[in-house]
Amino acid sequence: MSTTQSERLRGLLEPLVSAERLDLEQIEVTRAGRRRVLRIVVDSEEGVELDTCAELSRAISQKLDETDAMGEGEYVLEVSSPGADRPLTEHRHYVRATGRLARLRLHEGGELVARILAVDEDGLDLEVPGVKGRRPTARRIAFDEIAKARVEIEFNRKDKKEEEA
Protein backbone atom coordinates (compact mmCIF):
# COMPACT_ATOMS: atom_id res chain seq x y z
CA MET A 1 0.00 0.00 0.00
CA SER A 2 1.35 3.39 -0.90
CA THR A 3 2.15 5.85 1.85
CA THR A 4 -0.36 8.29 0.36
CA GLN A 5 -3.17 5.70 0.46
CA SER A 6 -2.17 4.68 3.99
CA GLU A 7 -2.22 8.29 5.20
CA ARG A 8 -5.54 8.92 3.47
CA LEU A 9 -7.13 5.82 5.01
CA ARG A 10 -5.71 6.69 8.44
CA GLY A 11 -7.12 10.22 8.19
CA LEU A 12 -10.51 8.85 7.12
CA LEU A 13 -10.76 6.04 9.67
CA GLU A 14 -9.04 7.44 12.77
CA PRO A 15 -12.09 9.53 13.83
CA LEU A 16 -14.35 6.45 13.59
CA VAL A 17 -11.94 4.37 15.66
CA SER A 18 -11.41 7.15 18.23
CA ALA A 19 -15.18 7.56 18.60
CA GLU A 20 -15.24 3.96 19.91
CA ARG A 21 -12.43 4.88 22.37
CA LEU A 22 -9.98 2.66 20.50
CA ASP A 23 -6.48 3.13 19.10
CA LEU A 24 -5.90 2.55 15.40
CA GLU A 25 -2.86 0.27 15.50
CA GLN A 26 -2.45 -0.82 11.90
CA ILE A 27 -3.85 -0.43 8.39
CA GLU A 28 -2.74 -2.94 5.79
CA VAL A 29 -3.88 -3.55 2.23
CA THR A 30 -2.76 -6.81 0.61
CA ARG A 31 -3.70 -8.79 -2.49
CA ALA A 32 -5.71 -12.01 -2.27
CA GLY A 33 -6.21 -13.19 -5.84
CA ARG A 34 -8.27 -10.61 -7.73
CA ARG A 35 -9.37 -8.90 -4.55
CA ARG A 36 -7.62 -6.75 -2.03
CA VAL A 37 -7.86 -7.26 1.72
CA LEU A 38 -8.03 -4.19 3.96
CA ARG A 39 -6.99 -5.16 7.50
CA ILE A 40 -7.67 -2.72 10.29
CA VAL A 41 -6.18 -3.53 13.71
CA VAL A 42 -7.56 -1.69 16.75
CA ASP A 43 -6.85 -1.92 20.48
CA SER A 44 -7.57 -0.24 23.82
CA GLU A 45 -6.46 -0.38 27.44
CA GLU A 46 -9.28 -2.87 28.19
CA GLY A 47 -8.86 -4.88 24.99
CA VAL A 48 -11.43 -5.12 22.20
CA GLU A 49 -14.62 -7.15 22.24
CA LEU A 50 -15.96 -8.95 19.19
CA ASP A 51 -19.16 -6.86 19.17
CA THR A 52 -17.10 -3.68 19.09
CA CYS A 53 -15.13 -4.97 16.09
CA ALA A 54 -18.39 -5.81 14.31
CA GLU A 55 -19.90 -2.36 14.97
CA LEU A 56 -16.70 -0.64 13.90
CA SER A 57 -16.53 -2.79 10.77
CA ARG A 58 -20.02 -1.64 9.75
CA ALA A 59 -19.12 2.02 10.36
CA ILE A 60 -15.85 1.72 8.42
CA SER A 61 -17.59 -0.10 5.55
CA GLN A 62 -20.19 2.65 5.31
CA LYS A 63 -17.50 5.38 5.35
CA LEU A 64 -15.47 3.60 2.65
CA ASP A 65 -18.60 3.20 0.50
CA GLU A 66 -19.19 6.96 0.75
CA THR A 67 -15.68 7.74 -0.51
CA ASP A 68 -13.35 6.44 -3.19
CA ALA A 69 -10.56 5.68 -0.71
CA MET A 70 -10.34 2.04 -1.84
CA GLY A 71 -10.86 2.77 -5.53
CA GLU A 72 -13.13 0.82 -7.84
CA GLY A 73 -11.85 -2.73 -7.31
CA GLU A 74 -13.31 -5.32 -4.95
CA TYR A 75 -11.92 -5.62 -1.46
CA VAL A 76 -12.57 -7.49 1.76
CA LEU A 77 -12.62 -5.57 5.04
CA GLU A 78 -11.27 -7.18 8.22
CA VAL A 79 -11.40 -5.40 11.58
CA SER A 80 -9.68 -7.12 14.49
CA SER A 81 -7.62 -6.76 17.65
CA PRO A 82 -3.86 -7.30 17.56
CA GLY A 83 -3.90 -10.78 19.08
CA ALA A 84 -2.31 -12.28 22.15
CA ASP A 85 1.26 -12.47 20.83
CA ARG A 86 1.35 -8.99 19.35
CA PRO A 87 4.62 -7.20 18.67
CA LEU A 88 5.40 -4.39 21.09
CA THR A 89 6.26 -1.31 19.04
CA GLU A 90 4.78 1.66 20.90
CA HIS A 91 5.14 2.83 24.49
CA ARG A 92 1.43 2.13 25.09
CA HIS A 93 1.94 -1.49 23.98
CA TYR A 94 4.48 -2.03 26.75
CA VAL A 95 2.18 -0.37 29.30
CA ARG A 96 -0.67 -2.68 28.27
CA ALA A 97 1.67 -5.67 28.55
CA THR A 98 2.62 -4.91 32.17
CA GLY A 99 2.42 -8.18 34.11
CA ARG A 100 2.86 -10.25 30.94
CA LEU A 101 5.82 -12.31 29.79
CA ALA A 102 7.68 -10.83 26.82
CA ARG A 103 10.44 -11.98 24.48
CA LEU A 104 12.91 -9.17 23.85
CA ARG A 105 15.56 -9.24 21.12
CA LEU A 106 18.32 -6.80 22.04
CA HIS A 107 20.39 -4.64 19.67
CA GLU A 108 23.60 -5.89 21.26
CA GLY A 109 22.57 -9.42 20.39
CA GLY A 110 20.86 -12.08 22.37
CA GLU A 111 17.34 -12.60 23.50
CA LEU A 112 15.66 -12.24 26.85
CA VAL A 113 12.36 -13.65 28.10
CA ALA A 114 11.10 -11.75 31.14
CA ARG A 115 7.96 -10.47 32.84
CA ILE A 116 7.27 -6.73 32.44
CA LEU A 117 6.84 -5.30 35.94
CA ALA A 118 6.80 -1.57 35.21
CA VAL A 119 7.14 0.82 32.30
CA ASP A 120 8.28 4.44 32.33
CA GLU A 121 9.38 6.89 29.65
CA ASP A 122 12.91 5.45 29.45
CA GLY A 123 12.43 1.71 29.63
CA LEU A 124 11.22 -1.40 31.42
CA ASP A 125 11.65 -2.98 34.82
CA LEU A 126 11.70 -6.73 34.26
CA GLU A 127 11.65 -9.93 36.26
CA VAL A 128 13.80 -12.58 34.63
CA PRO A 129 12.59 -16.07 35.65
CA GLY A 130 15.09 -18.18 37.55
CA VAL A 131 16.50 -21.30 35.92
CA LYS A 132 16.48 -24.71 37.63
CA GLY A 133 14.97 -23.63 40.94
CA ARG A 134 16.82 -20.32 41.22
CA ARG A 135 14.99 -17.17 42.20
CA PRO A 136 13.91 -14.64 39.57
CA THR A 137 16.17 -11.61 39.14
CA ALA A 138 15.32 -7.98 38.46
CA ARG A 139 16.66 -6.27 35.35
CA ARG A 140 16.28 -2.82 33.81
CA ILE A 141 16.23 -2.43 30.01
CA ALA A 142 16.15 0.92 28.20
CA PHE A 143 13.90 1.19 25.13
CA ASP A 144 16.89 2.02 22.92
CA GLU A 145 18.41 -1.39 23.80
CA ILE A 146 15.39 -3.27 22.37
CA ALA A 147 15.45 -4.29 18.70
CA LYS A 148 12.18 -6.27 18.79
CA ALA A 149 9.72 -7.31 21.46
CA ARG A 150 6.68 -9.56 21.52
CA VAL A 151 4.29 -10.77 24.19
CA GLU A 152 4.68 -14.47 24.96
CA ILE A 153 1.56 -16.57 25.31
CA GLU A 154 1.31 -18.31 28.69
CA PHE A 155 -1.09 -21.22 28.98
CA ASN A 156 -0.54 -22.02 32.65
CA ARG A 157 -0.42 -18.52 34.16
CA LYS A 158 -3.08 -17.64 36.70
CA ASP A 159 -4.97 -14.47 35.94
CA LYS A 160 -5.08 -11.56 38.41
CA LYS A 161 -8.47 -12.58 39.82
CA GLU A 162 -7.21 -16.05 40.68
CA GLU A 163 -4.05 -14.64 42.30
CA GLU A 164 -6.04 -12.22 44.48
CA ALA A 165 -8.46 -14.93 45.69
Side-chain angles (χ1 to χ4, degrees):
M1 171 170 63
S2 71
T3 303
T4 308
Q5 184 183 25
S6 175
E7 290 170 358
R8 185 169 181 212
L9 285 169
R10 184 168 287 279
L12 186 68
L13 303 178
E14 191 112 48
L16 295 173
V17 173
S18 295
E20 294 290 330
R21 295 189 179 123
L22 299 171
D23 296 319
L24 180 55
E25 296 290 348
Q26 182 181 2
I27 298 174
E28 178 183 58
V29 178
T30 57
R31 280 254 172 238
R34 295 183 318 222
R35 295 184 179 157
R36 292 170 294 156
V37 178
L38 171 58
R39 286 187 183 90
I40 309 292
V41 179
V42 296
D43 200 7
S44 77
E45 295 294 326
E46 298 79 34
V48 183
E49 293 186 6
L50 187 58
D51 289 343
T52 304
C53 283
E55 290 171 21
L56 186 57
S57 179
R58 286 188 288 276
I60 289 172
S61 180
Q62 182 178 352
K63 182 60 106 177
L64 292 173
D65 288 348
E66 294 170 359
T67 68
D68 66 344
M70 288 301 293
E72 294 297 317
E74 293 181 26
Y75 68 92
V76 175
L77 174 63
E78 296 178 2
V79 177
S80 66
S81 64
D85 63 343
R86 65 158 328 138
L88 304 173
T89 58
E90 302 284 334
H91 184 271
R92 69 177 178 267
H93 299 164
Y94 289 97
V95 171
R96 290 177 186 157
T98 300
R100 307 271 316 265
L101 202 60
R103 181 175 300 275
L104 308 159
R105 188 177 313 148
L106 306 177
H107 286 295
E108 67 187 32
E111 215 171 58
L112 174 67
V113 176
R115 188 161 314 281
I116 300 172
L117 299 178
V119 180
D120 60 30
E121 295 304 314
D122 300 319
L124 311 171
D125 291 326
L126 304 171
E127 179 184 75
V128 181
V131 180
K132 295 184 181 180
R134 294 187 181 160
R135 293 182 182 260
T137 56
R139 181 159 179 193
R140 174 79 181 170
I141 297 283
F143 286 120
D144 61 4
E145 295 178 64
I146 302 170
K148 284 186 173 182
R150 178 177 297 276
V151 169
E152 286 284 291
I153 297 174
E154 295 179 87
F155 293 105
N156 58 353
R157 172 137 167 105
K158 294 179 181 178
D159 67 12
K160 291 178 185 176
K161 292 175 188 169
E162 288 180 48
E163 288 177 355
E164 291 171 359

Short mmCIF file of all heavy atoms in Angstrom, two decimals, residues 1 4 14-15 18 32 49 63 87-89 102 112-114 117 124 128 132 136 142 145 148 153 157:
data_model
loop_
_atom_site.label_atom_id
_atom_site.label_comp_id
_atom_site.label_asym_id
_atom_site.label_seq_id
_atom_site.Cartn_x
_atom_site.Cartn_y
_atom_site.Cartn_z
N MET A 1 0.86 -1.17 0.00
CA MET A 1 0.00 0.00 0.00
C MET A 1 0.90 1.22 0.00
O MET A 1 1.87 1.30 0.73
CB MET A 1 -0.89 -0.05 1.25
CG MET A 1 -1.68 1.17 1.51
SD MET A 1 -2.93 1.02 2.80
CE MET A 1 -1.97 0.69 4.24
N THR A 4 0.73 7.34 0.56
CA THR A 4 -0.36 8.29 0.36
C THR A 4 -1.70 7.63 0.68
O THR A 4 -2.53 8.21 1.38
CB THR A 4 -0.37 8.82 -1.09
OG1 THR A 4 0.93 9.32 -1.40
CG2 THR A 4 -1.40 9.91 -1.26
N GLU A 14 -9.42 7.14 11.39
CA GLU A 14 -9.04 7.44 12.77
C GLU A 14 -10.18 8.04 13.59
O GLU A 14 -10.40 7.63 14.72
CB GLU A 14 -7.82 8.37 12.80
CG GLU A 14 -7.20 8.51 14.16
CD GLU A 14 -5.84 7.87 14.24
OE1 GLU A 14 -5.03 8.12 13.34
OE2 GLU A 14 -5.59 7.13 15.20
N PRO A 15 -10.97 8.99 13.04
CA PRO A 15 -12.09 9.53 13.83
C PRO A 15 -13.13 8.47 14.20
O PRO A 15 -13.68 8.49 15.30
CB PRO A 15 -12.70 10.60 12.92
CG PRO A 15 -11.61 10.98 11.99
CD PRO A 15 -10.79 9.73 11.79
N SER A 18 -11.49 6.35 16.99
CA SER A 18 -11.41 7.15 18.23
C SER A 18 -12.78 7.32 18.87
O SER A 18 -12.88 7.36 20.10
CB SER A 18 -10.81 8.53 17.94
OG SER A 18 -9.48 8.38 17.52
N ALA A 32 -5.27 -10.63 -2.46
CA ALA A 32 -5.71 -12.01 -2.27
C ALA A 32 -6.41 -12.41 -3.55
O ALA A 32 -7.63 -12.24 -3.70
CB ALA A 32 -6.65 -12.12 -1.07
N GLU A 49 -13.64 -6.08 22.31
CA GLU A 49 -14.62 -7.15 22.24
C GLU A 49 -15.07 -7.37 20.80
O GLU A 49 -15.03 -6.46 19.97
CB GLU A 49 -15.82 -6.81 23.12
CG GLU A 49 -15.48 -6.80 24.59
CD GLU A 49 -16.71 -6.61 25.47
OE1 GLU A 49 -17.84 -6.59 24.94
OE2 GLU A 49 -16.50 -6.47 26.69
N LYS A 63 -18.35 4.23 5.67
CA LYS A 63 -17.50 5.38 5.35
C LYS A 63 -16.72 5.13 4.06
O LYS A 63 -16.62 6.03 3.21
CB LYS A 63 -16.54 5.64 6.51
CG LYS A 63 -15.65 6.83 6.30
CD LYS A 63 -16.43 8.11 6.12
CE LYS A 63 -16.34 8.96 7.34
NZ LYS A 63 -17.03 10.25 7.18
N PRO A 87 3.34 -7.87 18.50
CA PRO A 87 4.62 -7.20 18.67
C PRO A 87 4.43 -5.93 19.50
O PRO A 87 3.39 -5.28 19.42
CB PRO A 87 5.06 -6.87 17.24
CG PRO A 87 3.88 -7.06 16.38
CD PRO A 87 2.87 -7.87 17.13
N LEU A 88 5.43 -5.60 20.28
CA LEU A 88 5.40 -4.39 21.09
C LEU A 88 6.23 -3.34 20.36
O LEU A 88 7.45 -3.46 20.27
CB LEU A 88 5.96 -4.67 22.48
CG LEU A 88 5.29 -5.81 23.24
CD1 LEU A 88 6.03 -6.11 24.54
CD2 LEU A 88 3.83 -5.50 23.51
N THR A 89 5.56 -2.32 19.82
CA THR A 89 6.26 -1.31 19.04
C THR A 89 6.08 0.10 19.57
O THR A 89 6.88 0.97 19.25
CB THR A 89 5.79 -1.34 17.57
OG1 THR A 89 4.37 -1.13 17.54
CG2 THR A 89 6.13 -2.67 16.91
N ALA A 102 7.32 -11.34 28.14
CA ALA A 102 7.68 -10.83 26.82
C ALA A 102 9.02 -11.40 26.38
O ALA A 102 9.89 -11.68 27.21
CB ALA A 102 7.75 -9.31 26.84
N LEU A 112 16.00 -12.20 25.44
CA LEU A 112 15.66 -12.24 26.85
C LEU A 112 14.17 -12.48 26.98
O LEU A 112 13.38 -11.81 26.31
CB LEU A 112 16.04 -10.90 27.50
CG LEU A 112 15.67 -10.65 28.93
CD1 LEU A 112 16.46 -11.57 29.85
CD2 LEU A 112 15.97 -9.21 29.29
N VAL A 113 13.77 -13.43 27.80
CA VAL A 113 12.36 -13.65 28.10
C VAL A 113 12.17 -13.25 29.56
O VAL A 113 12.84 -13.77 30.45
CB VAL A 113 11.94 -15.12 27.88
CG1 VAL A 113 10.49 -15.32 28.31
CG2 VAL A 113 12.13 -15.50 26.43
N ALA A 114 11.28 -12.28 29.79
CA ALA A 114 11.10 -11.75 31.14
C ALA A 114 9.70 -11.18 31.29
O ALA A 114 9.03 -10.85 30.31
CB ALA A 114 12.13 -10.66 31.43
N LEU A 117 7.37 -5.72 34.64
CA LEU A 117 6.84 -5.30 35.94
C LEU A 117 6.37 -3.86 35.93
O LEU A 117 5.36 -3.52 36.54
CB LEU A 117 7.89 -5.48 37.04
CG LEU A 117 8.38 -6.90 37.27
CD1 LEU A 117 9.47 -6.91 38.34
CD2 LEU A 117 7.23 -7.81 37.66
N LEU A 124 12.01 -0.38 30.74
CA LEU A 124 11.22 -1.40 31.42
C LEU A 124 11.94 -1.93 32.65
O LEU A 124 13.16 -2.09 32.64
CB LEU A 124 11.01 -2.60 30.48
CG LEU A 124 10.52 -2.34 29.07
CD1 LEU A 124 10.59 -3.61 28.27
CD2 LEU A 124 9.11 -1.80 29.10
N VAL A 128 13.30 -11.47 35.43
CA VAL A 128 13.80 -12.58 34.63
C VAL A 128 13.61 -13.86 35.43
O VAL A 128 14.12 -13.97 36.54
CB VAL A 128 15.29 -12.39 34.27
CG1 VAL A 128 15.79 -13.54 33.41
CG2 VAL A 128 15.50 -11.05 33.58
N LYS A 132 16.22 -23.54 36.79
CA LYS A 132 16.48 -24.71 37.63
C LYS A 132 16.37 -24.39 39.12
O LYS A 132 17.29 -24.59 39.89
CB LYS A 132 17.86 -25.30 37.33
CG LYS A 132 17.97 -25.85 35.93
CD LYS A 132 19.30 -26.51 35.71
CE LYS A 132 19.37 -27.02 34.28
NZ LYS A 132 20.63 -27.66 33.99
N PRO A 136 13.91 -15.63 40.66
CA PRO A 136 13.91 -14.64 39.57
C PRO A 136 14.81 -13.45 39.93
O PRO A 136 15.01 -13.16 41.10
CB PRO A 136 12.45 -14.19 39.47
CG PRO A 136 11.67 -15.10 40.34
CD PRO A 136 12.60 -15.80 41.26
N ALA A 142 16.57 -0.33 28.83
CA ALA A 142 16.15 0.92 28.20
C ALA A 142 15.52 0.60 26.85
O ALA A 142 15.90 -0.39 26.19
CB ALA A 142 17.34 1.85 28.03
N GLU A 145 17.70 -0.12 23.84
CA GLU A 145 18.41 -1.39 23.80
C GLU A 145 17.61 -2.48 23.10
O GLU A 145 18.14 -3.54 22.77
CB GLU A 145 18.72 -1.88 25.23
CG GLU A 145 19.66 -1.00 26.01
CD GLU A 145 19.86 -1.53 27.42
OE1 GLU A 145 20.41 -2.64 27.55
OE2 GLU A 145 19.46 -0.83 28.37
N LYS A 148 13.53 -5.76 19.01
CA LYS A 148 12.18 -6.27 18.79
C LYS A 148 11.65 -6.81 20.10
O LYS A 148 12.42 -7.32 20.91
CB LYS A 148 12.16 -7.40 17.76
CG LYS A 148 12.32 -6.99 16.34
CD LYS A 148 12.13 -8.19 15.43
CE LYS A 148 12.11 -7.75 13.98
NZ LYS A 148 11.88 -8.90 13.10
N ILE A 153 2.81 -15.97 24.85
CA ILE A 153 1.56 -16.57 25.31
C ILE A 153 1.88 -17.54 26.44
O ILE A 153 2.78 -18.36 26.31
CB ILE A 153 0.83 -17.29 24.16
CG1 ILE A 153 0.46 -16.28 23.08
CG2 ILE A 153 -0.39 -18.03 24.67
CD1 ILE A 153 -0.13 -16.89 21.85
N ARG A 157 -0.50 -19.66 33.24
CA ARG A 157 -0.42 -18.52 34.16
C ARG A 157 -1.79 -18.24 34.75
O ARG A 157 -2.79 -18.17 34.05
CB ARG A 157 0.06 -17.28 33.43
CG ARG A 157 -0.02 -16.03 34.26
CD ARG A 157 1.20 -15.19 34.10
NE ARG A 157 0.99 -13.87 34.66
CZ ARG A 157 1.51 -13.48 35.81
NH1 ARG A 157 2.25 -14.30 36.50
NH2 ARG A 157 1.29 -12.27 36.26
#
